[in-house]
């Protein structure tokens, strides 16, 4: 049973004996567009309230203000906080006064001395200072006010938009003392190719089955025909767990939660078997369903099973009874089951296009959602926000919908353009993965809540009907009717969410193809 020579998993024409490194994977990745800098709104000073005309007395007052540096009050000294370095460059015509300075102010030395100069007291023209100030603030392409009569020089123009770094008083390239600029974070790169491909002969192309699951002990369970195989992700060892015989076949597999090696197997004949994977021994055989069992979900010691007979059975493996309660509500086959992370709510989807939510003790659904227009197999609870539930519809629906089960509200809807087969949420970042069937056969990584696409992965030639995520939350495995299993590095590790080099560095990425 533990002989790898009998393994159905064989290498699927994978070109390299080792998985690609993150750098090589990223080379095949499509570059993501970085959003452009948000444009600054134009500020037009001409839209402000017009300046009223001044009388002769007010004109004299303005002259005193402008020449305040040289005007001495006979009674007291007036101090102002305003400094105009270039009088000849000012718009005095707005105040209806001449721009030519008075002889007294000219004699007072309104020109600015050259800083640090050793030319014997030679003074520089004020227009040079004004041009230098204008170029530092607005760039060299800003026209002088003399070129545009009547226009204010401090009016923003769209053709002179520049990055905020260009307004630094220390120049465009060098940073001044105490000034630090944080680098713009590059978008995370998701490798567009699987790092491992395994053949999985007899993997059924059936939308209503769930034949792949990944345990907390890093073991992948796959139902192939009438057999269940286990693949150890650390050693790549394959073990044949069970053979149901020619009169039965595997319809679903589901690992128990942490701390146990128990695997539940749902069969075509309506039975549910519990196997101890560490000993390859069957523990229990439970009945109750009349038709095939296509969906399984664990909540501690309670196992929920959904069947084509439209019912959901709650089984406590500590009880001698086959099941402790029966949930009725669906009008067609139950094909999706998921317990919330706090084990308080069970979500079920059926071929009747319905999504139901049950609590721990109810035998009737406490919440009913009827917005989907096709079978609901894809179900995922968010590990980041309590009560956030995602669901996906089949070919006639193609939508991913989000629900708040705490407030019983429909949050949003995203039309994906193709049949939604599976959903899984990352526990490391607020992102989720969806797999699709007709007609794209693709895998999409989404960022929530914006639902922007981080990556679109292709490679399967049939519907991507099966999906499972590794215990460290970095790797997913997908299965399809093309009889292949493909392993993808899509999520970062918890400690390196924004470090591209860490993606794919888990033990799953280092396993050797044999």
């Amino acid at each position: 049973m533990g002989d790898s020579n009998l393994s159905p998993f064989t290498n699927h024409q994978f070109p390299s004996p080792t998985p690609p490194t993150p750098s090589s994977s990223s080379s095949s990745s499509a570059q993501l567009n970085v959003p452009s800098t948000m444009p600054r709104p134009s500020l037009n000073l001409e839209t402000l309230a017009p300046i009223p005309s001044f009388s002769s007395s007010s004109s004299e007052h303005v002259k005193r203000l402008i020449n305040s540096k040289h005007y001495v009050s006979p009674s007291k000294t007036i101090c102002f906080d305003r400094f105009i370095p270039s009088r000849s460059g000012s718009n005095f015509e707005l105040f209806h006064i001449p721009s030519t300075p008075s002889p007294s102010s000219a004699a007072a030395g309104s020109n600015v001395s050259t800083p640090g100069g050793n030319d014997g007291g030679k003074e520089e023209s004020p227009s040079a200072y004004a041009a230098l100030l204008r170029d530092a603030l607005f760039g060299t392409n800003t026209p002088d006010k003399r070129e545009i009569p009547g226009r204010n020089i401090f009016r923003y123009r769209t053709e002179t938009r520049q990055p905020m770094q260009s307004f630094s008083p220390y120049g465009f390239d060098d940073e001044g003392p105490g000034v630090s600029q944080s680098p713009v974070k590059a978008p995370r790169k998701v490798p567009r190719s699987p790092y491992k491909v395994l053949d999985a002969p007899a993997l059924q192309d059936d939308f209503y089955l769930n034949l792949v699951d990944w345990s907390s002990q890093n073991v992948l369970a796959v139902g192939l025909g009438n057999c269940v195989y286990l693949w150890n992700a650390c050693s790549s060892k394959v073990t044949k767990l069970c053979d149901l015989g020619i009169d039965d076949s595997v319809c679903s597999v589901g690992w128990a939660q942490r701390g146990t090696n128990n695997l539940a197997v749902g069969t075509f004949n309506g039975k549910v078997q519990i196997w101890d994977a560490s000993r390859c021994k069957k523990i229990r055989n439970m009945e109750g369903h009349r038709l095939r069992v296509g969906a399984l979900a664990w909540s501690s010691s309670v196992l929920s099973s959904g069947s084509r007979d439209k019912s959901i059975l709650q089984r406590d493996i500590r009880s001698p009874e086959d099941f402790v309660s029966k949930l009725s509500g669906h009008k067609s086959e139950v094909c999706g089951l998921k317990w919330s992370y706090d084990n308080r709510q069970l979500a079920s989807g059926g071929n009747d296009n319905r999504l139901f939510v049950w609590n721990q003790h109810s035998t009737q659904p406490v919440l009913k959602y009827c917005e989907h227009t096709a079978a609901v197999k894809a179900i995922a609870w968010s590990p980041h926000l309590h009560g956030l539930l995602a669901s996906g519809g089949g070919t006639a629906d193609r939508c991913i919908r989000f629900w708040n089960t705490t407030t019983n509200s429909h949050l949003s809807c995203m039309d994906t353009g193709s049949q939604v087969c599976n959903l899984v949420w990352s526990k490391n970042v607020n992102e989720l993965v969806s797999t699709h069937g007709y007609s794209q056969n693709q895998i999409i990584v989404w960022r929530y809540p914006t639902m922007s696409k981080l990556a679109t992965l292709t490679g399967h030639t049939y519907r991507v009907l099966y999906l499972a995520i590794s215990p460290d939350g970095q790797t997913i495995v997908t299965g399809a009717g093309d009889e292949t299993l493909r392993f993808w590095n899509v999520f970062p590790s918890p400690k390196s969410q924004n470090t591209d080099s860490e993606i794919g560095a888990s033990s799953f990425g280092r396993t050797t193809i044999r």
Side-chain angles (χ1 to χ4, degrees), residues 29-193:
S29 303
Q31 296 297 326
L32 301 179
N33 293 328
V34 179
S36 61
T37 306
M38 292 294 292
R40 298 188 303 275
S42 298
L43 175 63
N44 190 347
L45 297 183
E46 295 177 354
T47 62
L48 298 177
I51 300 176
S53 60
F54 290 88
S55 62
S56 59
S57 61
S58 62
S59 176
E60 179 64 23
H61 181 65
V62 171
K63 290 181 180 179
R64 291 187 177 184
L65 287 178
I66 296 174
N67 298 285
S68 59
K69 185 176 181 180
H70 312 286
Y71 178 79
V72 179
S73 173
S75 59
K76 62 179 179 179
T77 302
I78 302 176
C79 299
F80 294 90
D81 61 351
R82 188 174 182 185
F83 175 67
I84 304 178
S86 178
R87 297 176 180 82
S88 62
S90 302
N91 268 338
F92 292 124
E93 60 270 15
L94 296 178
F95 300 91
H96 306 288
I97 60 177
S99 61
T100 304
S102 63
S104 61
S105 62
S110 61
N111 293 339
V112 180
S113 299
T114 305
N118 54 1
D119 54 359
K122 181 180 179 180
E123 293 184 340
E124 179 178 284
S125 170
S127 61
Y129 180 86
L132 180 62
L133 179 62
R134 181 178 65 251
D135 292 345
L137 290 175
F138 303 104
T140 58
N141 296 328
T142 304
D144 188 82
K145 79 176 181 62
R146 296 180 181 86
E147 301 175 4
I148 309 177
R151 298 286 296 274
N152 194 328
I153 192 65
F154 291 101
R155 180 171 183 259
Y156 286 106
R157 299 183 56 187
T158 56
E159 58 267 28
T160 59
R161 289 174 181 169
Q162 302 176 31
M164 291 302 296
Q165 294 89 332
S166 64
F167 294 97
S168 170
Y170 303 99
F172 297 95
D173 297 326
D174 299 330
E175 293 182 354
V179 177
S180 61
Q181 298 177 357
S182 59
V184 179
K185 293 181 180 179
R188 184 166 58 83
K189 298 177 182 178
V190 178
R192 297 312 201 266
S193 300

Side-chain angles (χ1 to χ4, degrees), residues 377-493:
K377 176 193 177 186
I379 300 173
W381 291 92
S382 170
H384 310 289
L385 186 62
H386 175 73
L388 178 57
L389 176 64
S391 60
T395 308
D397 183 80
R398 307 186 307 269
C399 293
I400 300 175
R401 297 180 182 271
F402 295 91
W403 318 86
N404 187 335
T405 61
T406 303
T407 60
N408 189 21
S409 58
H410 183 200
L411 300 177
S412 60
C413 175
M414 168 63 68
D415 190 341
T416 66
S418 58
Q419 178 187 42
V420 184
C421 301
N422 293 279
L423 289 169
V424 66
W425 221 296
S426 169
K427 64 181 181 180
N428 301 337
V429 288
N430 200 13
E431 300 169 4
L432 67 158
V433 167
S434 61
T435 68
H436 300 270
Y438 303 125
S439 59
Q440 302 298 323
N441 302 332
Q442 60 190 3
I443 303 147
I444 303 178
V445 184
W446 307 86
R447 178 182 284 115
Y448 187 82
T450 62
M451 290 304 286
S452 57
K453 292 183 181 180
L454 286 176
T456 300
L457 313 177
T458 58
H460 284 291
T461 57
Y462 279 66
R463 299 180 295 174
V464 189
L465 298 176
Y466 309 111
L467 172 67
I469 189 168
S470 62
D472 70 350
Q474 296 179 241
T475 305
I476 62 170
V477 58
T478 56
D482 57 13
E483 299 184 343
T484 63
L485 295 174
R486 297 172 185 262
F487 295 79
W488 317 77
N489 286 321
V490 294
F491 296 129
S493 64

Side-chain angles (χ1 to χ4, degrees), residues 197-277:
V197 180
L198 298 178
D199 277 328
L203 185 61
Q204 297 187 56
D205 183 29
D206 193 325
F207 177 80
Y208 301 99
L209 306 185
N210 293 274
L211 297 175
V212 177
D213 198 21
W214 208 326
S215 78
S216 61
Q217 307 299 320
N218 208 7
V219 178
L220 188 70
V222 184
L224 301 177
N226 52 10
C227 299
V228 175
Y229 291 88
L230 307 179
W231 180 78
N232 190 301
C234 296
S235 63
S236 294
K237 180 181 178 181
V238 178
T239 303
K240 184 178 180 180
L241 178 66
C242 64
D243 187 338
L244 302 181
I246 59 175
D247 296 330
D248 207 349
S249 62
V250 180
C251 294
S252 57
V253 294
W255 286 102
Q257 295 177 337
R258 294 182 180 273
T260 177
N261 287 310
N262 291 345
L263 176 70
V265 179
T267 75
F268 182 82
N269 291 334
K271 295 181 175 58
V272 175
Q273 300 179 0
I274 308 296
W275 287 77
D276 184 346

